[in-house]
Amino acid sequence: MSVDRNTPGKPSGQPATADAERRSPERTPVRPAPGAAEALPATLRRNAPLVPTDTAASRSLAAVIAILTFLAALCAGAAEMVSASANQWQGSVAQEVTIQVRPSPGRDVEADLARAESLAKAEPGIAATRVFSKQEAERLLEPWLGSGLDLGDLPVPRLITLTLGTPAPDLKHLRAGLGEALPGVASLDDHVLWLQRLSTMANTFVGAGVGVVALVLVATGLAVAFATRGAMAGNREVVEVLHFVGADDDYIARAFQRRFFGLGLRGGAIGAGLAVLAFWLAGLLARAWSSGPAGEEIEALFGAFHIGWRGYAAVLAIGIIASLVTGVVSRLTVRRFLA
């Protein structure tokens, strides 16, 4: 039996065409081995998303969005807290006015105090009056002059606080009456200058907080734009195949928008949740420290360290806005990339 040279190990009597047909992939399809589908790239598997989200780049982008959302939420919550505290301070200060009685040579300061108090009580709209003693007036100077000083020889002004009622009194009439009865001795301070400065400070802080939130959202949009261009560059072949089979730019842009909106929603939810948790823990710590001197100073400056429902609503709104910015920026970036 002769052996064909072209087909070693086979008898020469068998035709070569039959052997070729048996080995032809068109006649005998080759089935992939078990587990071969898992070896394919993620973008070539069946039902694989156009923009994979379970990648290192996607997780990094979600982490960046979460961090930026957390910072923006902290700024918004702090601005709301300062605004609420400033409103509380303004309400407290606006409910009181002060009469200052200055000691003068040859005059009885106690008689002047009694005269000024009687004029204030006679004014309609004054709910209550309180005369500060000499020791209380000197104690008010301790934050500037220190304690342990003998201020007996100094002409320390005496104060009378007036609590305003409803309807509000005519402070111009009271000021004129004090000027006639006690000229050069008694004066009325309605704290208007202090209220204006306090309002300016609060508005400045709130404006700075809004500006920081806007900058953080812009940074979020820039990060999403760079991530979208990277994803487009990494999926260029897939995009070309989609164009070849008839997919238009809107279809591809919607696919990227859905994926990046999901990433933005995840990052925004994590960042907003961490901000809410941070404010809640800060409130717990403030209440725990409220018994000490430091806690009293913190409470005097920030109140109870509670941002209220408006603050929590602002934090949640920032999380939603971050996800919307992510989706919109990704869509615009894709459309510009495909143009």
Side-chain angles (χ1 to χ4, degrees):
M1 180 181 297
S2 62
V3 179
D4 191 358
R5 297 178 181 177
N6 296 327
T7 58
K10 289 192 174 294
S12 58
Q14 293 181 352
T17 56
D19 182 55
E21 290 178 356
R22 284 194 301 267
R23 291 184 298 168
S24 174
E26 297 179 358
R27 298 292 300 272
T28 307
V30 180
R31 296 182 179 180
E38 287 77 3
L40 292 175
T43 55
L44 296 180
R45 296 175 188 171
R46 181 174 296 179
N47 298 327
L50 176 60
V51 187
T53 58
D54 192 17
T55 60
S58 299
R59 289 190 294 269
S60 300
L61 179 61
V64 170
I65 295 174
I67 294 172
L68 294 176
T69 303
F70 175 73
L71 295 177
L74 286 184
C75 292
E80 171 59 27
M81 189 168 17
V82 170
S83 178
S85 299
N87 291 334
Q88 183 179 359
W89 297 339
Q90 289 176 358
S92 300
V93 173
Q95 292 299 316
E96 289 185 350
V97 295
T98 304
I99 297 177
Q100 181 178 239
V101 178
R102 291 176 291 276
S104 299
R107 298 185 64 94
D108 186 2
V109 66
E110 298 295 336
D112 292 340
L113 284 172
R115 177 62 174 161
E117 185 181 12
S118 63
L119 289 175
K121 288 182 177 179
E123 188 70 27
I126 300 297
T129 62
R130 179 176 179 269
V131 180
F132 280 67
S133 64
K134 189 175 186 300
Q135 291 76 17
E136 291 175 332
E138 293 176 354
R139 197 176 301 119
L140 293 176
L141 299 177
E142 289 183 358
W144 290 269
L145 301 180
S147 59
L149 296 178
D150 186 10
L151 302 178
D153 296 334
L154 295 179
V156 178
R158 302 287 295 278
L159 302 178
I160 304 174
T161 58
L162 310 179
T163 302
L164 306 183
T166 303
D170 187 0
L171 297 181
K172 292 183 179 180
H173 182 267
L174 178 59
R175 184 179 287 108
L178 291 173
E180 293 177 0
L182 300 169
V185 175
S187 61
L188 180 66
D189 184 9
D190 55 3
H191 313 307
V192 173
L193 181 61
W194 166 254
L195 290 175
Q196 291 178 350
R197 292 179 177 178
L198 183 61
S199 177
T200 302
M201 181 195 68
N203 293 334
T204 301
F205 193 91
V206 171
V210 173
V212 171
V213 170
L215 290 177
V216 170
L217 292 177
V218 170
T220 303
L222 292 176
V224 172
F226 282 114
T228 304
R229 293 186 68 88
M232 288 290 295
N235 293 272
R236 183 183 297 273
E237 294 81 6
V238 178
V239 173
E240 292 177 354
V241 170
L242 290 175
H243 276 153
F244 181 75
V245 299
D248 55 1
D249 293 344
D250 288 336
Y251 174 82
I252 300 173
R254 284 194 302 268
F256 275 86
Q257 183 180 6
R258 284 193 299 268
R259 295 298 176 180
F260 279 96
F261 177 77
L263 290 175
L265 193 61
R266 186 198 311 173
I270 294 174
L274 290 177
V276 171
L277 181 61
F279 283 115
W280 180 71
L281 291 177
L284 289 180
L285 293 177
R287 286 191 293 271
W289 293 342
S290 59
S291 58
E296 293 178 357
E297 295 295 333
I298 293 176
E299 186 175 0
L301 183 60
F302 297 104
F305 221 97
H306 181 65
I307 61 177
W309 68 268
R310 292 193 306 177
Y312 288 112
V315 170
L316 296 178
I318 288 175
I320 296 174
I321 292 174
S323 60
L324 293 177
V325 167
T326 303
V328 172
V329 170
S330 63
R331 182 181 180 87
L332 295 177
T333 304
V334 171
R335 292 303 300 267
R336 186 173 182 179
F337 187 88
L338 297 176

